[in-house]
Structures are given as structure tokens and as C-alpha cells.
Amino acid sequence: PWSPAWPRGAPWGPAGPHGAPCFRDVSGGGSAVIDMENMDDTSGSSFEDMGEMHQRMKEEEEVAAEAAATEDDAADDGEFLGMKGLKGQLGRQVADEVWQAGKRQASKAFNLYANIDILRPYFDVEPVQVRSRLIESMIPVRMINFPQKIAGELYGPMMLVFTLVAILLHGMKTSGTVIREGTLMGTAIGTCFGYWLGVSSFIYFLAYLVNAQITMLQMLSLLGYGLFGHCIVLFITYNIHFHFLFYALWLLVGGLSTLRMVAALLSRTVGQTPRLLLCGSLALLHMLFLLYLHFNYHQIVEGLLDSLEGSNMAAMQRVARDVLKLPVVVNATVKSQ
Amino acid sequence: PVKQGRNRTKRRKRSKPFAGLSDVSISEDIPVEGDISVPVGSSRQDDEFSTLDEPVKDTILRDLKAVGNKFVHVLYPKRSSALLRDWDLWGPLLLCVALALMLQGGAADGAEDGGGPQFAEVFVIVWFGSIVITLNSKLLGGTISFFQSLCVLGYCIMPLTVAMLVCRLVLLGGSGTASFVVRLVVVSASFGWSTFASTAFLADSQPPNRKALVVYPVFLFYFVIGWMILTFSTSQ
């Protein structure tokens, strides 16, 4: 039930009220409606294909326009110069073509807006849709005979990853590892994006091997919404340090979001061994990542400290917070006073 | 005098035997006409906007006045488009540097590394965060230009910078529960203010049904900065 109508007639409309170009202007021609859901279900198109297709269509338009312009120029030049200008004209035309090609390449590389235009359909959501998808990410559906719908959308996953980065920063700072700030933030961003992109690519690769019906975009969206459970668990357990609470939440919330992803993957895979391989690796990675983020984080950072300043270790000695300690309820913010 | 000279030339030509030939090559016979007077009075209006010969002090003062004017707009957000129309990045730079300098020298910094990473972290969070928010709003279909959005988000850090100043002053008095409560109130108020002000400026450029999606990253951005200010404590 999600079909974004994406007007693609004139990507460069006239300037808007604040000097910004209007993107939703369809005055330049007929608008092509791309129903991404249908395309995904046939699995004839992947994330990259969409971008490439858009780029190709734009390029074709540009080339046609330039060819027409060149023809006009050539006609004028021929009339003016007559026969003796033919050789110079040919050279000029070649040079002109080279110049045009170079210009097209450069503008393509530097045109930020064009790249934004490619990504735009993946951010075409309503607040209600995002809310319902967040809730659905915690509800596993027991329907594995028929392929489940997976929304191909990137707004929710992106925001969840950034939220997870913020929560990780908070956790790392309140866990007593308040040193090397730049490294902390780089580590947080690297961990979250690395997990999201890396595991998505890995599972997509596995799915490709076992011939599962899923695209890269759907994989990114599925795993991204799966991080919602991680966000909840980590946000609670970074502030309330109960071991029992963490394990309960880990099994309940983390397990539910993992089950939801596993069910969606199961419904799109055929055969016992492929299902076991795909879903086993995904569930293992997802559950272990949560454990890793909760327990192992500041130890990793302490390892970094060891390597950075091996000489004055005595000052940096600090007890790992969560390992073998009496459960204490401490509001972390008050603790930092 | 020009007219006299031309008449004299004509007279001389008429007396020559091959007057027709000389007409072919000599072009001075064609009268040159036109108004070559320079308009003196009209250029005075342009000179008023010329900044070439004004003192450097005037230039700096005018720019500072523009920046200060935008500060007032942030303090009293009334959906004016002045902050959007002529954007600049001086104010955001000033605020960001001020915030980073004030956040420096806390207990979080090690004794030997001089607090460098703290400064860099604030800098990176402010600029990287603004860029992410801007890209997000563009992806959601906002009709605001890149630097306009950066300008608004940067200027709207001002309440949080003020809160940081207050926090440092409060921390001079001591760091007990009372001071924590005071700081919590101040930071919460300025966080709400920042979010409200930036939303007031950015909301007009967004599709009405998607404002919540645009506001969420803005909220997260100011929340992280506010949390950094709240958890700041000076080294004893």
C-alpha cells in the first residue's frame, strides 16, 4: 500500500520563493509515475538500478538537446563559411563535442542536487507511515508461505542510525570513559553505520547466493528498522544499570525485532538450508551486536587508550562498569556530577 | 571648430581635378555625429553603495550589525524571512567557536592533551549535524537552499551558547544538586527555545504534512548539544 507518485518531468523548475529551485514542477512534460513497490516485488530492479535508470533518462534528454543545438550551429556555420570552412568546422565540431562531454561529466560529478534527486523517492514518507513501521518492526508476522511486504524506504533507518549514534555517545560518556572525544564520536558513527551498511550488504550477498527474493533497498530498510529495538534497549539500560533488566530486554525487545526480520526473510526464501543459513546468520549478528554495544563498548575504547598512551596506564585504570558488579540503580546524569 | 574644419575639407576637394577618386578612399567626409557628453549627475547614486573607499571600521561594523540583527531574530522568532533572505555563516562560526571554547577545559579533558578533541568534537557535531539536517530536509522535499538552512541552524544555537555561559557561571559557585537543578532548567529552556526558533524558520519551506519528519533530526541535534552542555563539569 505504498506507491509514491514521483513527478520527473522537469527536475529543474524555476526558482522558488527563496531562490531555491522547485522540484515538484511538472510543467516541462508528462510525469512518469514510478511505482517502487511493484518494481521491488518483481525483483527486476534493485536500489542501484533505480538510480541508474533515472540518471540514464536524464542523460538521454541532455544529449538530445545538445545534438539539436549542435546541428543548428553547424547549419549556420556552413552557410557563412561555405566550402572552405568545412575542415575547420569539422575540427571545431570535434572539439566542441569533447568540450561538451567534459562539461557533462563535470556537472554530473559536482551537481549535488542531481544526486539528491536520485535519492528523493526513498525519502518519500508520511509521519504516520514511519510511526506504523516503527511499531511493526516489533511485531513478527507468522506468514512464511507468501512473501511479506517490505517497504523500501530510507528515512526511518537513517534517523534510527543517527539516534543510535547519539545514544552510544551518551552511553560511552556516562560509562566513565570520558576521554579522546573525537575518537569516541568517530567510533560511534563508524560502528552504527558500519553495522547497518556492512551487515545489510553481507545478508544481501547471502540472499543473492541462495536466491532469496529481496533487494538491497529492502534489506537496508529491514535492518534499519530492526535497529529500533536496539535503540530502546540501549537507551533504557545505559541509564538504569540492572543486569537482569538488560537480559530481559535483550531477549524480549531485541528478540522481537530479530524475529520480525527473520520472518520477513523466511517468507522470501525457499528451501530449508537457505533459510537456516540466511536467518541464522542475521539473527546471530543482530543479537550479538546488541550484546556488544551494551557490554563491550568501553572495553574497546580502553583498548584504544592502551594503544594510544601505554606509558601512563596507572592513571587510566578503571573498572569495567557492567562486568561482575553489584547491580546498582544510578541515574547516569546525576552520577556524572 | 569641427564644423568649420569639415567645410574647409569640402572646399578643398571641390577644387581638385579627381574629386571622385578621393571620395572612395577617404572616409573623413562622413560626418561623425553623436552625443559624447558624460552623464555626471547620474553616477552619484551608485557611489553611495560603493564600499571601496570607506574605512575598514565601517565595513566591519556594518557586517557585525547584520549579524547582531539576526541574533535578535533568533531571540524573538516571528517567522521573518530576514534570516533566510541574506544568509551568512559568520554568526554560526562565532557561536560555534564560542561554544567550543567554553566547553573546553572541563573535567572531561585529559591533563596532557589540552582539550583539543573536545573543541574538534563540538565543531564536528555542529557542522556535520547541520549538514545532515539540511540534506534530510532537502530529501523530504523542502524548498530551502543549502546555505540558508545551515545559516538558520547555526544561528539557532545561540540560546544554547547562552545556556553554556550561564552554566559556567553557576559552576563557579559550586557543583551540588542545587546547581545541577539550575543548569537542568536553563539548558532545557534553551534547548526548547532553539528547537522552536529553528522550526519557526524552517517550517515554512517544508511540505505541511511532513513537518514532524523534519523536526525530529533538528530535535536530536539540539538535544545532543544540550546534553553536552548539561554534563559539562569543570576540573577541580
Side-chain angles (χ1 to χ4, degrees):
Chain A
W2 180 61
S3 54
W6 177 33
R8 204 205 51 82
W12 288 109
H18 300 300
C22 292
F23 285 95
R24 306 216 154 246
D25 192 355
V26 284
S27 61
S31 64
V33 177
I34 297 180
D35 194 339
M36 284 171 52
E37 196 172 18
N38 288 346
M39 295 178 73
D40 285 344
D41 281 343
T42 54
S43 85
S45 141
S46 71
F47 181 38
E48 293 84 3
D49 286 347
M50 279 293 298
E52 271 176 23
M53 198 175 70
H54 177 67
Q55 194 76 15
R56 210 165 49 230
M57 280 151 84
K58 273 183 77 170
E59 265 174 28
E60 276 168 12
E61 279 174 11
E62 279 173 17
V63 169
E66 273 159 18
T70 318
E71 270 174 19
D72 288 350
D73 283 352
D76 288 349
D77 289 350
E79 278 171 20
F80 182 69
L81 293 171
M83 282 302 286
K84 89 181 165 181
L86 194 62
K87 221 160 87 178
Q89 187 193 338
L90 192 68
R92 196 142 56 108
Q93 210 167 352
V94 170
D96 214 36
E97 243 164 57
V98 171
W99 161 249
Q100 290 292 348
K103 208 172 78 175
R104 204 160 52 235
Q105 287 285 335
S107 66
K108 196 161 63 181
F110 287 106
N111 203 341
L112 182 69
Y113 289 120
N115 295 332
I116 280 184
D117 230 19
I118 294 171
L119 286 176
R120 199 172 296 258
Y122 309 123
F123 284 74
D124 194 5
V125 278
E126 304 288 320
V128 184
Q129 283 176 316
V130 173
R131 201 173 57 213
S132 64
R133 276 172 202 164
L134 283 178
I135 295 168
E136 277 166 15
S137 76
M138 308 302 278
I139 303 169
V141 184
R142 273 203 61 187
M143 178 185 68
I144 57 172
N145 298 321
F146 189 76
Q148 291 180 18
K149 287 252 186 282
I150 304 174
E153 172 236 334
L154 291 181
Y155 173 83
M158 285 291 285
M159 287 306 127
L160 280 172
V161 170
F162 278 117
T163 313
L164 193 61
V165 168
I167 292 173
L168 271 191
L169 267 180
H170 167 75
M172 281 189 284
K173 279 203 172 182
T174 52
S175 68
T177 345
V178 272
I179 198 160
R180 293 284 161 195
E181 307 293 334
T183 316
L184 284 194
M185 202 180 64
T187 319
I189 290 179
T191 311
C192 296
F193 273 97
Y195 173 76
W196 182 45
L197 297 174
V199 172
S200 297
S201 321
F202 177 65
I203 299 293
Y204 177 66
F205 176 66
L206 279 185
Y208 176 76
L209 285 186
V210 302
N211 206 9
Q213 297 279 315
I214 193 162
T215 63
M216 186 67 193
L217 176 67
Q218 287 172 326
M219 196 57 234
L220 282 174
S221 179
L222 189 67
L223 191 70
Y225 275 109
L227 288 175
F228 182 52
H230 284 31
C231 286
I232 292 176
V233 173
L234 289 177
F235 185 72
I236 293 173
T237 55
Y238 275 148
N239 290 306
I240 305 170
H241 308 296
F242 264 130
H243 265 294
F244 174 73
L245 181 70
F246 170 71
Y247 283 121
L249 284 176
W250 178 63
L251 277 180
L252 186 73
V253 181
L256 275 179
S257 67
T258 309
L259 268 183
R260 142 93 184 148
M261 292 199 298
V262 163
L265 271 182
L266 273 181
S267 69
R268 286 171 172 259
T269 322
V270 182
Q272 291 294 326
T273 319
R275 281 179 172 177
L276 191 64
L277 180 71
L278 204 59
C279 301
S281 49
L282 179 64
L284 199 68
L285 283 171
H286 203 62
M287 294 300 273
L288 283 182
F289 183 60
L290 186 51
L291 272 185
Y292 165 79
L293 286 186
H294 183 75
F295 282 117
N296 239 1
Y297 220 90
H298 45 278
Q299 285 179 355
I300 290 291
V301 178
E302 277 180 4
L304 277 179
L305 283 179
D306 290 356
S307 60
L308 283 173
E309 37 201 304
S311 55
N312 43 10
M313 265 305 295
M316 298 296 160
Q317 211 85 52
R318 98 175 29 95
V319 183
R321 172 178 51 109
D322 283 309
V323 184
L324 295 177
K325 241 183 141 183
L326 285 177
V328 186
V329 184
V330 178
N331 188 339
T333 322
V334 177
K335 195 183 85 175
S336 71
Q337 295 309 300
Chain B
V2 175
K3 205 170 182 185
Q4 273 182 3
R6 204 168 62 210
N7 287 344
R8 210 181 312 126
T9 319
K10 275 185 181 170
R11 224 178 293 124
R12 195 165 60 230
K13 265 183 216 158
R14 220 177 286 128
S15 64
K16 279 183 182 177
F18 302 110
L21 279 179
S22 71
D23 269 353
V24 173
S25 56
I26 297 173
S27 58
E28 62 185 294
D29 198 28
I30 301 167
V32 178
E33 288 179 16
D35 188 16
I36 59 167
S37 69
V38 179
V40 181
S42 65
S43 68
R44 286 269 77 89
Q45 288 172 348
D46 296 338
D47 279 353
E48 286 176 18
F49 300 109
S50 164
T51 56
L52 277 179
D53 53 350
E54 76 174 8
V56 177
K57 195 185 79 177
D58 288 0
T59 314
I60 293 177
L61 277 183
R62 194 183 49 244
D63 288 349
L64 280 182
K65 204 183 283 176
V67 170
N69 199 14
K70 284 175 191 149
F71 282 158
V72 174
H73 275 296
V74 172
L75 289 181
Y76 179 55
K78 51 172 171 33
R79 286 183 185 271
S80 145
S81 61
L83 206 57
L84 294 172
R85 212 169 36 241
D86 25 300
W87 54 268
D88 68 76
L89 296 180
W90 285 113
L93 183 71
L94 284 176
L95 289 172
C96 178
V97 169
L99 185 66
L101 281 177
M102 279 192 282
L103 274 172
Q104 216 176 355
D109 301 327
E112 69 281 341
D113 59 13
Q118 185 85 22
F119 192 88
E121 187 195 18
V122 176
F123 228 80
V124 169
I125 282 185
V126 168
W127 291 108
F128 181 71
S130 323
I131 288 172
V132 166
I133 293 171
T134 306
L135 285 181
N136 178 57
S137 80
K138 293 221 68 121
L139 284 171
L140 286 171
T143 56
I144 190 169
S145 91
F146 188 78
F147 287 107
Q148 281 172 341
S149 175
L150 275 191
C151 168
V152 167
L153 290 170
Y155 270 105
C156 289
I157 297 178
M158 197 181 63
L160 287 165
T161 310
V162 173
M164 183 66 226
L165 193 66
V166 173
C167 282
R168 282 211 87 134
L169 290 178
V170 168
L171 278 171
L172 284 180
S175 56
T177 315
S179 99
F180 176 72
V181 170
V182 170
R183 283 186 293 148
L184 182 66
V185 170
V186 169
V187 171
S188 308
S190 61
F191 159 65
W193 197 348
S194 292
T195 314
F196 172 72
S198 56
T199 312
F201 286 114
L202 293 179
D204 285 341
S205 64
Q206 299 299 332
N209 52 346
R210 289 189 182 166
K211 276 180 187 160
L213 298 181
V214 178
V215 168
Y216 175 69
V218 174
F219 165 85
L220 194 67
F221 173 64
Y222 289 124
F223 185 80
V224 168
I225 295 178
W227 177 80
M228 273 168 58
I229 292 170
L230 185 64
T231 54
F232 172 80
S233 56
T234 48
S235 49
Q236 301 304 315

